[in-house]
Amino acid sequence: MVHLDVPSMHSALMAFFWLDLVLQEDRSMAAEEKSQSSWSAIPLDLAGMVLRLLPGYADRSCFAAVCPQWRCAVRQQQQQLLVPRPVPLLALPDGTFYSLPEGKHHRFPGCGFGGYESVCGSCLVFTRDDGCFLVDPFSRDTVTLPALSCVRLRPPSAAAKRTAEVPYAAGKWSEEERTRFAYPYVTWMHICDSDKLHISKIVLCTPNLAAALVGNGHVSQILMCRPGALSWSVRAYDKCRRFQDMSFYQGKLYILTCDEDLLVVNIGQDLSTGDPQVSRIGRVIKSDPRLSVLFVDNLMICKKHYLVESCGILLMVRRKIWCQLPERGVDKTVARKNEFEVFKADFEHSRWINVTMTMGDDQVLFLGRRCSRAMSMSQYGMPGGQIFFLDDDEKNRVEYDYAEKNTSISVYDMRSGVVLHPRISWKRSDEMCLASWLFPQD
């Protein structure tokens, strides 16, 4: 069950207050005329003034629903980039959506949009036996990708070896004390038949290129395709790794590992089909080998990592989760407080530079396992230097439990280190761990 305390609509009320003042002035100037000024006849620039005071998508939708003229004004303002991006929505897997910052409940007409498996920007990702579908609930546009069962192996001979049950070139299954493990490492050939196979992250890089991290929760592999194509492409014998995040930045695809190595994926084309495929993976930043899981007293530090672009800079965000180790009367590891550090990629010197305290006063980060983004919030009168994050743990990758039965949006203040919890909460469960940010189109 979701609990919500909706604050006052101060920004919206102020917007319409000023709009009413302007219209009153127009009416007084036209007092000699029989006709009065109509709300539907507001000038385009005035509509933009109102929209700039409405950060939430739900409020902008209400503005556009008043009449066709206002709806046209919203469309023109957005197309001409005259108004800033609206704040993202919180999407829950049961089809519930909340519009920030007020936390207003939002419904998309005609469909519930529940049961998605991932999020990609403004799209909800649905996987079925006949394909993978990126559905934009704002515009109702749909991008079709291949089903996970349709994967083209590279080299093509890998398929024949698998059918013939020949030991795989990059590894084979070994049986020892009823435990199966891959030797010398796990490849796509070892996980492709897993019933836990799922999309961890999907990025629509360009209209002709989609990339996905697909795995079993423990490790994953990079798949690529062209939207509308019949199959994905994968390097069958590459080592599967614990990839943390993926981002398309300045025309290149980057992937972050759990060791904080930053990898760049060189993309080629299949000569027979013209479809994209991974041609080479290189490392552009090597992590500090001293960084590892730390134990302090009876606490363990677990880490999550995110990639996000902010003001033209690629950032890595390190989230440290302090966990209480099992002790007398408690038989599980329990997550406690969160801390964050922010680093920018220094490609020239192949290193991460700590910018935690200089991230930018107007920048707010919305972090999620499936979709992250940085936004400027100063135009809305909202403070910067904050991180909005979710407990969106991926299945089979959770190293700890939680003491609370419910979870919620959390906000970390970069200056004070204090974590706040806005009053939007939902029951913690395996199904609801797919809570994500959904970013309306610009």
Side-chain angles (χ1 to χ4, degrees):
M1 181 176 180
V2 177
H3 304 280
L4 177 62
D5 181 14
V6 181
S8 64
M9 295 293 297
H10 177 72
S11 60
L13 291 175
M14 287 300 297
F16 284 100
F17 170 76
W18 287 109
L19 177 60
D20 190 48
L21 286 180
V22 174
L23 288 177
Q24 287 182 33
E25 182 178 352
D26 288 344
R27 285 193 292 267
S28 64
M29 294 176 62
E32 302 141 0
E33 301 179 4
K34 294 182 179 180
S35 60
Q36 293 185 344
S37 299
S38 170
W39 282 87
S40 64
I42 65 171
L44 183 61
D45 57 345
L46 185 57
M49 292 173 60
V50 175
L51 289 172
R52 280 191 287 273
L53 294 173
L54 300 176
Y57 179 81
D59 293 332
R60 294 190 183 186
S61 298
C62 292
F63 182 94
V66 171
C67 62
Q69 290 84 351
W70 286 27
R71 185 159 53 251
C72 180
V74 172
R75 188 180 304 113
Q76 290 180 358
Q77 289 283 316
Q78 292 176 338
Q79 290 175 348
Q80 298 176 25
L81 303 179
L82 299 177
V83 293
R85 295 173 176 173
V87 179
L89 277 71
L90 171 68
L92 300 183
D94 62 0
T96 304
F97 298 88
Y98 292 102
S99 178
L100 303 180
E102 293 87 2
K104 176 182 290 187
H105 184 253
H106 180 75
R107 293 184 181 275
F108 290 101
C111 185
F113 292 108
Y116 64 82
E117 185 170 333
S118 188
V119 170
C120 177
S122 63
C123 294
L124 301 171
V125 181
F126 298 87
T127 58
R128 300 193 317 210
D129 292 340
D130 58 342
C132 177
F133 303 92
L134 278 60
V135 181
D136 188 327
F138 306 99
S139 66
R140 302 304 174 96
D141 294 336
T142 299
V143 176
T144 303
L145 304 178
L148 290 182
S149 58
C150 301
V151 178
R152 187 176 69 258
L153 301 177
R154 297 184 52 240
S157 58
K161 290 182 179 181
R162 182 180 178 212
T163 302
E165 296 185 349
V166 176
Y168 308 137
K172 59 182 180 180
W173 285 113
S174 300
E175 295 283 350
E176 186 173 304
E177 297 181 357
R178 297 183 181 179
T179 301
R180 300 208 306 170
F181 62 93
Y183 176 82
Y185 51 76
V186 177
T187 71
W188 174 257
M189 307 299 286
H190 296 113
I191 67 172
C192 60
D193 291 329
S194 171
D195 58 357
K196 295 181 173 60
L197 200 68
H198 64 276
I199 296 175
S200 299
K201 175 98 176 189
I202 188 165
V203 176
L204 193 60
C205 306
T206 71
N208 296 313
L209 174 62
L213 296 178
V214 179
N216 58 9
H218 299 289
V219 294
S220 57
Q221 191 52 273
I222 310 164
L223 274 65
M224 285 190 175
C225 76
R226 174 176 48 82
L230 298 178
S231 63
W232 296 89
S233 170
V234 67
R235 287 162 58 124
Y237 300 135
D238 278 6
K239 180 181 179 180
C240 293
R241 303 179 64 173
R242 292 192 65 180
F243 295 123
Q244 291 283 295
D245 206 352
M246 177 170 60
S247 178
F248 191 69
Y249 169 72
Q250 295 188 354
K252 294 183 179 180
L253 185 65
Y254 292 94
I255 296 181
L256 185 66
T257 72
C258 62
D259 298 323
E260 300 185 3
D261 286 350
L262 184 65
L263 310 179
V264 62
V265 181
N266 293 335
I267 303 169
Q269 281 188 325
D270 186 297
L271 296 179
S272 60
T273 65
D275 290 338
Q277 60 185 21
V278 176
S279 61
R280 182 178 177 275
I281 301 175
R283 184 170 60 190
V284 292
I285 294 181
K286 180 175 173 55
S287 64
D288 188 335
R290 295 172 296 178
L291 296 174
S292 59
V293 176
L294 301 178
F295 295 87
V296 180
D297 296 330
N298 200 38
L299 296 174
M300 176 181 68
I301 300 178
C302 295
K303 298 175 185 176
K304 291 183 179 181
H305 302 86
Y306 309 84
L307 285 177
V308 58
E309 181 179 352
S310 174
C311 300
I313 298 173
L314 185 63
L315 300 178
M316 176 189 73
V317 183
R318 179 194 297 158
R319 175 182 172 187
K320 295 193 294 187
I321 305 166
W322 291 79
C323 300
Q324 184 78 44
L325 294 173
E327 54 186 359
R328 181 177 299 178
V330 180
D331 59 355
K332 58 185 179 180
T333 301
V334 179
R336 298 301 184 189
K337 67 175 183 177
N338 286 267
E339 294 178 350
F340 289 84
E341 294 176 287
V342 182
F343 302 81
K344 75 173 183 179
D346 180 1
F347 292 100
E348 182 179 356
H349 300 96
S350 300
R351 61 178 180 175
W352 296 110
I353 299 178
N354 195 318
V355 293
T356 302
M357 303 309 297
T358 59
M359 186 181 70
D361 291 337
D362 68 333
Q363 291 292 294
V364 173
L365 303 183
F366 292 88
L367 301 183
R369 178 60 61 197
R370 291 150 197 91
C371 200
S372 302
R373 185 169 291 180
M375 296 183 63
S376 173
M377 306 297 287
S378 57
Q379 66 270 21
Y380 297 132
M382 299 173 62
Q386 295 183 327
I387 296 177
F388 286 68
F389 65 99
L390 304 167
D391 288 330
D392 53 349
D393 304 291
E394 186 173 349
K395 295 178 181 179
N396 302 330
R397 193 183 272 187
V398 184
E399 301 169 330
Y400 43 80
D401 291 298
Y402 294 93
E404 302 83 8
K405 294 182 179 180
N406 286 357
T407 184
S408 66
I409 298 174
S410 300
V411 184
Y412 180 84
D413 188 287
M414 298 293 291
R415 300 175 187 85
S416 65
V418 174
V419 177
L420 301 177
H421 301 279
R423 297 178 182 178
I424 303 176
S425 65
W426 58 95
K427 188 175 181 180
R428 195 186 302 276
S429 65
D430 289 343
E431 295 76 18
M432 298 297 278
C433 71
L434 292 175
S436 302
W437 304 116
L438 187 65
F439 297 92
Q441 290 181 328
D442 299 339

